[in-house]
Amino acid sequence: IEIRRHERQMSIAGRFTTLVLLCLMWFSIQVNYSSHISVLGAHPNLSLVALFVSTLFGDRSNGAIFGFLLGLLEASYSPRLVGSCIVSRTMAGILAGALEESIFRDSMPVAALVVSGGTVLTECLMYLFAPQPFFKLWFARVLGEVILNAILAVPTYLVFRKSIRWKRDVFVNR
């Protein structure tokens, strides 16, 4: 008898539901704990991390849905411009979801790069929609946020990946 590891994936609906629940969990963690973590006066944005990591396991339409959902949640919680927040996250989710066929997405370095680039894109879109009066302060905050989000992308990727894929032992008679 030989034991082989067999990796299985959830159904598309199960994966989507799991990713939505994980995104909601990450938003909840952000609301409760991200103010306690700071680099260069910036705080991590776990909603963005969850958005970009979840798009690695979906496509453009999933990116739009996750972006809209998390943009709406973030705008309802923070004192930002609601429309700008929703649109910037939705656009960033669509672009990140478009990477589906373009690059090999099932790796931690790709997750960190997508989260970093997506954070820069999202914050630049927010800057275009609602310019900040002090560019240097905004830039320092965004730089700190990018660093923290890139660091948090790795454990987030591992949790999300483990949640939608699992391994089981398969016994084979030889």
Side-chain angles (χ1 to χ4, degrees):
I1 294 178
E2 181 181 340
I3 299 174
R4 293 185 189 169
R5 299 294 279 173
H6 181 68
E7 186 170 311
R8 295 188 47 183
Q9 289 191 3
M10 291 183 176
S11 67
I12 293 172
R15 180 174 34 179
F16 181 79
T17 304
T18 301
L19 289 172
V20 166
L21 292 174
L22 287 168
C23 287
L24 292 174
M25 187 184 313
W26 255 240
F27 175 75
S28 177
I29 293 169
Q30 174 184 328
V31 167
N32 290 305
Y33 299 110
S34 72
S35 63
H36 302 294
I37 305 168
S38 177
V39 169
L40 300 173
H43 302 284
N45 189 328
L46 292 175
S47 292
L48 287 181
V49 175
L51 166 62
F52 295 118
V53 170
S54 66
T55 60
L56 294 176
F57 301 107
D59 58 7
R60 200 177 302 188
S61 60
N62 285 351
I65 293 168
F66 293 136
F68 182 82
L69 172 68
L70 291 170
L72 183 64
L73 287 171
E74 197 170 333
S76 68
Y77 178 75
S78 67
R80 292 180 150 188
L81 301 171
V82 174
S84 301
C85 193
I86 293 170
V87 170
S88 65
R89 273 113 181 109
T90 303
M91 288 174 62
I94 291 169
L95 290 174
L99 297 175
E100 177 186 19
E101 300 296 325
S102 304
I103 61 171
F104 179 71
R105 301 179 318 167
D106 196 9
S107 71
M108 283 186 289
V110 170
L113 287 172
V114 168
V115 168
S116 298
T119 300
V120 169
L121 173 67
T122 305
E123 292 299 337
C124 287
L125 287 171
M126 279 300 294
Y127 188 83
L128 287 175
F129 296 146
Q132 305 295 310
F134 303 105
F135 178 78
K136 289 181 182 179
L137 292 175
W138 173 82
F139 183 78
R141 184 189 59 77
V142 169
L143 181 63
E145 184 179 330
V146 168
I147 292 168
L148 285 170
N149 286 357
I151 292 168
L152 292 172
V154 173
T156 300
Y157 169 79
L158 293 173
V159 169
F160 279 41
R161 184 171 187 251
K162 186 69 173 173
S163 297
I164 63 170
R165 296 182 181 154
W166 66 93
K167 295 186 183 207
R168 65 182 177 116
D169 292 331
V170 177
F171 297 98
V172 179
N173 285 326
R174 286 191 131 200

